[in-house]
Amino acid sequence: MTLTPAELQSYLSALVTGNLKLSTMIWGPPGVGKSSVVAQVAAAHGLDFVDVRLSQLAPTDLRGLPVPEADGQGGGVSRWYPPEFLPRGGHGVLFLDEVNMAPPTMQGMAQQLILDRRVGSYELPEGWFVWAAGNRKEDRASVFDMPAPLANRFLHLGVRPDFDSWRSYALGKGLHEHVIAFLTFRPELLHRLDPTQPAWPSPRAWEMAAQLHRAGLDAAPAVGEAAGAEFAAFVRLYEGLPDLGLVLRGQGAGLRLPAEPSVRYAAVVGLAARAADADEAYHAFTWLADAAGPEWLQLYVATLVSKFQATGHLGDLAGLLSRDERLAALVAGTLELAGG
């Protein structure tokens, strides 16, 4: 079962809502956002979140250390003192990341925790979910085969890169509009695994690239030379954009939208990313309605809807519907396609 990040988020949320304590394994390529989705689901449901990287642990790190205790009869026993990072109470998600990068001895130790919800003298509290993640062999990751008994303890979900899911995340996080606009123009570069290079495009890498770009640094160390060069060339196109601030303030009369498609992507996504409220969003829409065709209006509305949904400003979105029948129809169509 292969899902987009948004679909994975919905699936995991349903497990939480249904209180289904079924151990769940999430498979996917590096950098696609597996751990981010799990953390977001935990936060959305008010759950604690403990991220354990199994590949970085030794068996005693998970099982704990044996400590001798006197039994009061002249003898003694050894008791296992569990590590401090394992939860003692409450409700949350215990996330076992990089499961299949861990050596077989560690996977065997994890199997006891996954199957019996205990390891050594430690027992996982009732209110905790056990979810895990790992990379696939085809992703050229340094992984070990997962033993069949361990694999059979899990639900198995795959996650794949998806631009619409990433765009919603990026808008909600306030990533640099240049990165969002570039990947709207070149969505095939959202994830392009190149095991021969140390840096290559992935959702995680583009988030790092956005931070570098905001600081005035080259994005290539995050996404690789080829994607970095394309992104740098795209950024230079912004010099040919009309003043988007004037458009958002309703003062765009007389400004022209350049005909070059890549520049139009930059302008349309830039307007949606910068619109701070319903008034600015409406001014941009009316300007684009006169300056561009319906496909550009659809792109603008789709980006705007993703942004307002991701940032929780649904009131601004609702306030737009009564202003223009065309805008209302486009918003309704976008929400219907998105399933919401």
Side-chain angles (χ1 to χ4, degrees), residues 76-328:
V77 295
S78 291
R79 299 190 184 278
W80 293 92
Y81 278 27
E84 56 86 20
F85 58 78
L86 291 176
R88 300 297 191 276
H91 299 77
V93 175
L94 177 61
F95 183 53
L96 306 177
D97 204 358
E98 302 174 351
V99 167
N100 57 339
M101 290 181 68
T105 53
M106 272 307 302
Q107 291 193 37
M109 192 67 64
Q111 179 175 329
Q112 185 181 0
L113 183 59
I114 294 161
L115 174 61
D116 300 325
R117 296 177 64 88
R118 63 186 306 144
V119 60
S121 61
Y122 171 79
E123 185 172 354
L124 185 68
E126 178 61 28
W128 283 75
F129 296 85
V130 180
W131 297 341
N135 301 133
R136 308 162 304 181
K137 280 189 174 181
E138 57 263 37
D139 300 318
R140 304 289 182 92
S142 300
V143 298
F144 295 90
D145 288 330
M146 180 178 287
L150 176 57
N152 195 237
R153 266 64 177 183
F154 282 117
L155 302 179
H156 292 273
L157 303 174
V159 60
R160 67 181 186 275
D162 174 69
F163 174 72
D164 288 338
S165 298
W166 181 86
R167 178 180 61 186
S168 179
Y169 169 80
L171 289 165
K173 290 276 288 187
L175 299 193
H176 202 293
E177 69 183 67
H178 291 177
V179 172
I180 300 172
F182 173 68
L183 290 175
T184 303
F185 177 59
R186 291 277 279 138
E188 62 272 22
L189 286 181
L190 175 63
H191 192 279
R192 181 172 286 181
L193 176 63
D194 185 353
T196 67
Q197 299 296 324
W200 40 270
S202 73
R204 178 169 57 204
W206 281 113
E207 185 168 358
M208 293 190 291
Q211 297 174 36
L212 292 174
H213 183 59
R214 195 178 295 279
L217 298 173
D218 188 0
V223 297
E225 294 294 335
E230 278 200 55
F231 174 65
F234 182 85
V235 169
R236 288 193 289 271
L237 295 174
Y238 268 73
E239 298 173 0
L241 288 181
D243 189 331
L244 300 185
L246 289 176
V247 174
L248 292 169
R249 293 192 295 272
Q251 301 168 3
L255 297 179
R256 298 177 60 84
L257 184 64
E260 167 62 36
S262 55
V263 182
R264 289 197 166 199
Y265 274 99
V268 171
V269 175
L271 286 169
R274 294 189 197 181
D277 53 38
D279 287 337
E280 290 191 351
Y282 180 68
H283 292 152
F285 176 82
T286 56
W287 182 76
L288 285 171
D290 294 331
E295 69 275 16
W296 299 104
L297 281 177
Q298 182 63 60
L299 172 61
Y300 169 75
V301 170
T303 307
L304 190 70
V305 168
S306 290
K307 175 188 174 180
F308 283 166
Q309 288 180 320
T311 57
H313 289 81
L314 294 178
D316 287 333
L317 185 61
L320 289 171
L321 300 181
S322 62
R323 297 198 179 193
D324 189 298
E325 291 184 358
R326 297 169 300 172
L327 178 55

Side-chain angles (χ1 to χ4, degrees), residues 32-40 49 51 53 95 97 133 204:
V32 77
K34 299 183 292 294
S35 57
S36 295
V37 170
V38 172
Q40 290 166 26
F49 177 65
D51 187 345
R53 305 298 170 106
F95 183 53
D97 204 358
R204 178 169 57 204

